[in-house]
Amino acid sequence: MPRQKTVSIHGYPITEKQVQLKYSLVKIAVVADPEPLIDQAEHEDNFPYWAEIWPSAIGLANFIETPNAPILGKCILEIGCGLGLTGIVACQQKRKVIFTDWKIDPLFFAHYNTSLNQCNDLARFIQMNWKSLCLAPKAYRFPLILGSDVIYEEKNWELILKLISNLLTDTGEVILSEPNRANTSAFFSLLKSMGFIYQKFSEPVYTNNVISRIAIYRIRRNFV
């Protein structure tokens, strides 16, 4: 059972959980009672998706810690970092990670969780709205960009693809995870039209005695 804590993060009482990955165990603090957050959400844009550990995040974390995962440079960008699980795994591989999210609350949790896993010295945290990137392409380009469950809304697709186009190095790679949603094929058609190619993999994730088949996509520029 999760261990109850008296600590709070940014005003939220927390519970610490242990997330068992394929090769490691990661400690993650979550909101102890997310129901008030859900009740306060007036519309979908305010829904606290960040407050949970989703199977897609576990799937991406599993994938990048496997021996077949790409080793591309030492500085990584994570978009929509949520509670920080995937970025923490990258930090544990001795990579510097810039954790970004468009809300401030998950960044407080991601900061706490990197400290909880003794890798805060490799982490940086930036609140970033995809509509107005705060990372200048001339100053910041990344060999690896990570994102779990960030392509579920069509309204964000062009923003995400613009971000990738601007911030990915010419030979870099993007790795995205999502739970095989029905609209995914339309996103990847758009991705191909913008000059990218991809490979798809399947990553099984076991949570609460249920298996989820998480889709993992490795994306890079098409120079053919």
Side-chain angles (χ1 to χ4, degrees), residues 97-194:
V97 178
I98 296 181
F99 295 75
T100 68
D101 206 290
W102 76 282
K103 290 187 175 183
I104 192 66
D105 289 339
L107 294 175
F108 279 99
F109 275 79
H111 184 276
Y112 181 91
N113 286 330
T114 56
S115 298
L116 198 61
N117 291 277
Q118 292 81 48
C119 56
N120 203 46
D121 57 328
L122 293 170
R124 182 181 174 192
F125 307 88
I126 298 177
Q127 187 175 10
M128 184 171 71
N129 188 325
W130 296 336
K131 294 180 180 179
S132 54
L133 298 182
C134 57
L135 298 173
K138 291 184 179 180
Y140 290 94
R141 296 187 78 204
F142 299 88
L144 185 59
I145 298 175
L146 304 173
S148 65
D149 229 348
V150 295
I151 59 173
Y152 57 90
E153 290 186 296
E154 184 176 350
K155 67 180 181 180
N156 292 326
W157 290 354
E158 290 191 7
L159 297 174
I160 292 171
L161 290 171
K162 182 178 179 181
L163 179 153
I164 291 171
S165 294
N166 288 334
L167 299 182
L168 185 68
T169 60
D170 290 343
T171 58
E173 188 167 315
V174 180
I175 307 181
L176 301 179
S177 66
E178 59 85 30
N180 287 290
R181 288 192 173 89
N183 65 350
T184 302
S185 60
F187 171 82
F188 283 98
S189 293
L190 182 60
L191 176 114
K192 290 174 69 175
S193 74
M194 295 183 67

Side-chain angles (χ1 to χ4, degrees), residues 19-35:
V19 180
Q20 181 63 62
L21 302 177
K22 284 184 177 179
Y23 300 100
S24 65
L25 190 67
V26 180
K27 298 177 183 178
I28 296 290
V30 302
V31 178
D33 182 10
E35 289 301 322

Side-chain angles (χ1 to χ4, degrees), residues 72-78 87 89-99 119-124 142-144 146:
L72 299 168
K74 289 295 184 180
C75 190
I76 295 172
L77 175 67
E78 183 177 9
V89 172
C91 287
Q92 291 174 334
Q93 297 171 334
K94 306 304 179 186
R95 305 181 190 183
K96 295 180 179 179
V97 178
I98 296 181
F99 295 75
C119 56
N120 203 46
D121 57 328
L122 293 170
R124 182 181 174 192
F142 299 88
L144 185 59
L146 304 173

Side-chain angles (χ1 to χ4, degrees), residues 23 62-71:
Y23 300 100
N62 275 332
F63 185 78
I64 68 167
E65 73 169 3
T66 60
N68 294 328
I71 304 296

Side-chain angles (χ1 to χ4, degrees), residues 35-96:
E35 289 301 322
L37 276 175
I38 295 172
D39 293 341
Q40 293 167 15
E42 296 179 358
H43 48 77
E44 190 172 8
D45 283 347
N46 289 327
F47 197 84
Y49 294 111
W50 61 268
E52 294 188 38
I53 305 170
W54 295 96
S56 291
I58 297 173
L60 184 56
N62 275 332
F63 185 78
I64 68 167
E65 73 169 3
T66 60
N68 294 328
I71 304 296
L72 299 168
K74 289 295 184 180
C75 190
I76 295 172
L77 175 67
E78 183 177 9
I79 59 174
C81 70
L83 297 168
L85 174 63
T86 302
I88 288 169
V89 172
C91 287
Q92 291 174 334
Q93 297 171 334
K94 306 304 179 186
R95 305 181 190 183
K96 295 180 179 179

